[in-house]
Amino acid sequence: MKFSYSSVVTAAIALLPVVSAQVNSSEWNAAYAKAKSTLALLNLSDKVSLATGYCTGNIPTIPAINFTGLCLEDSALGVKDTDYSSAFPAGINVAATFNRTLMRQRGVAMGQEFRGKGVNIQLGPMMNFMRAPASGRAWEGFGGDPYLSGEGAFETITGIQSQGVQAVAKHFIDYEQEHSRMSSSSNVDDRLQHEIYLHPFLRSVQANVAAVMCSYINGTYACENNATLNGLLKYELAFQGCKLNGWFRYDDWTATPSTTSANDGLDMTMPGDIFPGSIVSWFGESLVLAVQLGTVPESRVDDMATRILAGWYLLGQEQGYPPVNFDSKDPLSSVNQHVNVQGDHASLIRTIGAASTVLLKNENNALPLNKPKTIGIIGNDAGPNPLGPNICIAKGCDIGILGMGWGSGTANYPYLITPLDAITNRSSLDGTQVYSSLDDFDLDAAADTASGKDVAFVFITADSGEGSLTVEGNAGDRNNLQAWHSGDALVEKVASVNNNTIVVVNTVGPIVVEAWIDNPNVTGLVWSGLPGEEAGNSLIDILYGAYNPSGRLPYTIGKSIDDYAAQINTSIPIGILEIPYSEGLFIDYRHFDEANITPRYEYGFGLSYTTFSYSDLIVSGSVSGAAPGPSYGFGSSLDPSLHAPVVFVNFTLTNTGNIAGHETPQLYISLPASSQSPPYILKGFDSVFINPGESREVSMELSQYDLSIWNVVTQRWEVPSGTIGVTVGASSRDHRLTGVIG
Ligand code: BGC
């Protein structure tokens, strides 16, 4: 099988068949001490049982050591398959906030809910990339840039684990499309792997993530990939926690790991059976036998058990952890105590929904609304699913307001506020009459509803999800970047009769808006993404100006799908589908910049109801002549000297308009041409609240790692020689201040 990972790395890894846990962090120290003393009390079967789940997401108890077992549950946006829990905004939306505080708070709130249900391990966050714009599960993650994805991962994990819940960084690594996900090989070179795809996992390890879930095939089974599991994760990143495999529950049992995956660094197999319903496991008694036959050393089993116990101790789960009080497979079972874990999370969800809404077009001050007399609301996405928001299995349908995509990355809605209800309620304060037409295909009704109204809102969608389900002909990945349900025709019809047409988009990723975006009757475009249960309320906060828009695009909206560097590989292979990541470092805006393609809306773009000016850039500090990072070795990519701040970027933001709000400044660096890097690379952002007429000084820091590229020959991080440019601005193309690192 092909696997183009650097031969240098592969050679180094050959010396590392097993990377036993080596503690190098104070946080893990105490956990390891406890785990090791507990280990001494276990026999081989006990140790193996720690590594094997026989029912979906459960590790059995070991009474001898008061180990109460482990409950593992999806998803990255809320507790799946239960009731009285919240449906948070998706990862792609929290990314659009560009706001670390909100990312952290969402993690904290999710952690509280998982803990409240007795879940030990939350199967999230998900940090795979929107490499191809139609990628089915990209909405679960943080978009098309490694820096933003890394910050999203770090804050989410820190938040979740602050509540004593173990987080799982998934899916390790190079899992960026659904088509053939069980039988494809993502072929990624060493520099690309380090500079793009590994980065969020590095930030996860820096956040002390307890567990990592491997992805699918990367030249060899990802769960048996010595180079990535042992080499990158456990050696180079010095990951201390437990590595569990991705679930292989979709009948594709050939993708299941083998018993000897243990030798390649896999620590836990889930859900435990070899194929759905089988009573045999690759681990379990098979692993006991493998140890007895000598094909897996018992020291490896000790290491697996230590890592799993250490995660349990690290999060303090040995004391006072709530027992599981729901049954994900049977909500009516007597196990389900219907514990309400929602707390006051609705208001956070509403805030994140608003803060992640990206205002893309606003002509003639169409927004915020100013007491319109009449509003027309058009489109199925404005209303409810008549059968309820949870009626479709794993949310695999696009009926009514779209608050999340489909698949394992979902959760039940406790309720779902529709735009129609929210606008109707809010408009009663102004005495506004609201008219609606929710049939996407009834263009005459749409025109009737829009005609003669002060403002007409058209709601359109695009959906995607896990490849296990096909929805409206889309087998996980989207077939194209068009709005679903002939959304373009709906917008064009409404705009033909109303010169104040505002389009609201609920979508998993970019859609092409060229058919109508330049139509002068389309005065507004509001990108609402996947906002979760408070969808309608978040939206009215933007529409009526209760929240001044500050969301920014976490991906580029191109004029055509062909403008993007990478596409879903839809070939039907004989055997393994090869997916060459041949665009290299040039994904998303990096490609648009490099190839000089004008996007419709660039990465990082979003409007506000006020205006901001940027001034007084000061770049201090230096990396010129910096010694290269440590040579490839245990923990080398996490070496503190690499990550200490060395360059300081300060500038001033002033709110030059009349409305208070957040500005979202972004810092991009430009490495010397000799480094063959993208023209602009995101390395800093903030979300800064400023009152009208006031100024705020903003500081950002850059480390040697931030300014380095991965040298595939020397196998270390090195600052390229030459001048490094610094750009601060309001998007990846709206450069307001420029300087250089001295
Ligand atoms: C998915 C994971 C998920 C797991 C458990 C796998 O197929 O890829 O994201 O956490 O199933 O449902």
Side-chain angles (χ1 to χ4, degrees):
M1 265 182 211
K2 287 189 204 149
F3 182 50
S4 65
Y5 201 64
S6 147
S7 55
V8 180
V9 174
T10 312
I13 302 310
L15 305 173
L16 295 166
V18 173
V19 183
S20 299
Q22 306 173 45
V23 181
N24 72 342
S25 110
S26 56
E27 288 87 349
W28 283 97
N29 253 328
Y32 263 75
K34 288 182 189 168
K36 286 199 161 147
S37 62
T38 306
L39 191 72
L41 306 173
L42 299 182
N43 62 33
L44 179 58
S45 292
D46 287 338
K47 287 183 267 192
V48 163
S49 90
L50 278 172
T52 317
Y54 283 91
C55 34
T56 308
N58 287 298
I59 292 289
T61 61
I62 307 179
I65 56 165
N66 296 325
F67 178 72
T68 44
L70 293 173
C71 165
L72 299 86
E73 189 57 63
D74 285 312
S75 75
L77 60 64
V79 190
K80 190 163 182 280
D81 294 330
T82 187
D83 49 12
Y84 298 101
S85 61
S86 304
F88 288 84
I92 199 68
N93 269 55
V94 81
T97 68
F98 280 72
N99 183 317
R100 291 182 178 81
T101 306
L102 293 176
M103 293 171 178
R104 175 83 61 103
Q105 288 175 348
R106 173 175 170 275
V108 169
M110 289 198 297
Q112 288 166 347
E113 298 204 7
F114 277 81
R115 184 186 180 100
K117 291 285 185 187
V119 178
N120 302 81
I121 302 185
Q122 176 179 354
L123 299 174
M126 132 83 186
M127 53 200 72
N128 298 118
F129 282 76
M130 191 178 283
R131 167 181 175 262
S135 169
R137 296 184 69 181
W139 59 269
E140 295 182 44
F142 305 108
D145 176 82
Y147 183 81
L148 182 62
S149 298
E151 296 312 288
F154 182 91
E155 297 299 342
T156 307
I157 290 164
T158 305
I160 292 168
Q161 297 201 160
S162 73
Q163 301 307 305
V165 175
Q166 301 185 47
V168 175
K170 73 182 189 185
H171 309 80
F172 190 75
I173 190 171
D174 309 328
Y175 165 35
E176 269 83 32
Q177 70 169 56
E178 290 305 288
H179 180 70
S180 289
R181 79 170 195 182
M182 303 288 191
S183 54
S184 57
S185 175
S186 303
N187 298 330
V188 182
D189 73 43
D190 188 27
R191 178 173 177 194
L192 175 60
Q193 191 74 295
H194 277 83
E195 293 185 25
I196 305 265
Y197 296 100
L198 185 62
H199 178 75
F201 294 96
L202 180 150
R203 292 293 282 144
S204 301
V205 175
Q206 287 180 322
N208 274 331
V209 72
V212 171
M213 185 191 292
C214 55
S215 56
Y216 301 92
I217 299 174
N218 193 1
T220 179
Y221 295 126
C223 295
E224 294 184 344
N225 195 320
N226 199 296
T228 55
L229 294 194
N230 275 330
L232 287 179
L233 189 63
K234 291 187 174 175
Y235 190 66
E236 193 177 319
L237 298 189
F239 171 61
Q240 309 290 311
C242 124
K243 184 76 196 53
L244 56 109
N245 71 291
W247 265 241
F248 299 95
R249 60 159 60 138
Y250 299 116
D251 298 327
D252 194 342
W253 59 271
T254 51
T256 309
S258 64
T259 305
T260 51
S261 314
N263 289 337
D264 297 307
L266 188 68
D267 300 312
M268 181 193 285
T269 181
M270 277 285 152
D273 42 8
I274 284 184
F275 56 84
S278 80
I279 51 164
V280 187
S281 170
W282 291 117
F283 282 9
E285 288 310 311
S286 310
L287 186 52
V288 172
L289 189 63
V291 172
Q292 284 159 354
L293 293 175
T295 50
V296 175
E298 185 160 0
S299 58
R300 180 70 263 272
V301 176
D302 285 353
D303 180 48
M304 291 157 66
T306 306
R307 287 172 177 273
I308 294 162
L309 284 171
W312 189 63
Y313 285 124
L314 179 79
L315 278 303
Q317 295 188 343
E318 77 277 23
Q319 275 173 1
Y321 205 82
V324 180
N325 53 49
F326 72 105
D327 183 340
S328 67
K329 293 194 217 88
D330 180 8
L332 299 178
S333 119
S334 58
V335 176
N336 195 351
Q337 296 166 29
H338 309 285
V339 177
N340 190 331
V341 293
Q342 295 166 94
D344 59 358
H345 300 158
S347 69
L348 175 68
I349 291 169
R350 180 172 180 161
T351 301
I352 296 174
S356 60
T357 301
V358 189
L359 181 63
L360 292 175
K361 183 176 182 185
N362 191 19
E363 297 296 317
N364 314 326
N365 293 323
L367 293 172
L369 295 175
N370 185 14
K371 298 187 173 36
K373 288 202 171 48
T374 49
I375 294 178
I377 295 182
I378 295 101
N380 188 261
D381 180 54
N385 183 327
L387 299 177
N390 297 314
I391 191 71
C392 300
I393 293 168
K395 308 295 172 286
C397 59
D398 184 25
I399 305 171
I401 170 69
L402 187 71
M404 60 182 79
W406 74 74
S408 62
T410 57
N412 283 335
Y413 294 104
Y415 58 85
L416 178 53
I417 307 286
T418 68
L420 178 60
D421 282 349
I423 294 173
T424 305
N425 285 343
R426 174 61 183 78
S427 65
S428 65
L429 296 179
D430 302 331
T432 309
Q433 281 291 134
V434 175
Y435 302 81
S436 63
S437 158
L438 300 183
D439 184 335
D440 288 337
F441 300 100
D442 189 342
L443 299 186
D444 292 338
D448 281 352
T449 305
S451 182
K453 308 304 180 310
D454 286 356
V455 51
F457 288 103
V458 195
F459 288 79
I460 58 175
T461 61
D463 201 358
S464 71
E466 201 159 356
S468 47
L469 286 175
T470 295
V471 178
E472 300 190 26
N474 295 262
D477 305 312
R478 281 185 286 162
N479 295 337
N480 54 51
L481 298 190
Q482 297 312 122
W484 281 30
H485 304 172
S486 307
D488 287 345
L490 195 64
V491 174
E492 287 177 305
K493 186 70 180 184
V494 170
S496 72
V497 299
N498 190 304
N499 66 4
N500 190 20
T501 295
I502 298 177
V503 182
V504 179
V505 182
N506 285 105
T507 177
V508 289
I511 62 169
V512 172
V513 297
E514 295 308 299
W516 40 263
I517 193 63
D518 285 330
N519 182 331
N521 285 356
V522 174
T523 51
L525 176 57
V526 178
W527 212 259
S528 158
L530 300 173
E533 69 189 35
E534 287 281 325
N537 285 335
S538 300
L539 181 67
I540 59 165
D541 289 347
I542 295 292
L543 300 184
Y544 284 86
Y547 193 99
N548 189 350
S550 59
R552 297 290 186 263
L553 287 174
Y555 47 77
T556 300
I557 298 179
K559 292 183 178 173
S560 152
I561 193 169
D562 299 327
D563 287 349
Y564 293 85
Q567 305 295 345
I568 304 295
N569 184 338
T570 54
S571 313
I572 309 292
I574 301 168
I576 298 295
L577 175 67
E578 303 288 342
I579 307 177
Y581 280 36
S582 44
E583 72 289 348
L585 300 170
F586 299 91
I587 61 169
D588 204 282
Y589 66 91
R590 298 158 176 244
H591 165 69
F592 282 79
D593 290 347
E594 170 76 6
N596 210 8
I597 299 169
T598 305
R600 173 51 64 175
Y601 295 111
E602 73 269 19
Y603 183 94
F605 177 75
L607 298 169
S608 165
Y609 294 149
T610 189
T611 49
F612 297 94
S613 72
Y614 289 63
S615 61
D616 305 326
L617 177 70
I618 300 173
V619 181
S620 57
S622 162
V623 277
S624 51
S631 307
Y632 179 77
F634 182 69
S636 54
S637 279
L638 287 187
D639 192 281
S641 67
L642 263 182
H643 295 276
V646 289
V647 169
F648 305 87
V649 178
N650 291 284
F651 55 95
T652 302
L653 287 177
T654 304
N655 184 339
T656 49
N658 301 320
I659 302 173
H662 293 79
E663 173 62 333
T664 311
Q666 298 152 48
L667 184 162
Y668 295 83
I669 60 164
S670 299
L671 294 172
S674 60
S675 70
Q676 300 183 336
S677 298
Y680 296 97
I681 304 173
L682 182 71
K683 289 291 176 179
F685 62 81
D686 209 342
S687 178
V688 187
F689 184 82
I690 315 179
N691 283 314
E694 291 186 354
S695 296
R696 290 271 303 274
E697 188 169 333
V698 182
S699 306
M700 295 182 184
E701 297 173 342
L702 296 166
S703 66
Q704 189 174 326
Y705 167 82
D706 291 327
L707 301 168
S708 292
I709 63 172
W710 179 254
N711 185 323
V712 298
V713 178
T714 60
Q715 290 289 293
R716 56 190 182 187
W717 293 100
E718 291 179 6
V719 178
S721 58
T723 304
I724 300 179
V726 170
T727 302
V728 172
S731 80
S732 62
R733 292 202 164 197
D734 186 356
H735 304 157
R736 305 288 183 90
L737 304 169
T738 53
V740 293
I741 295 175

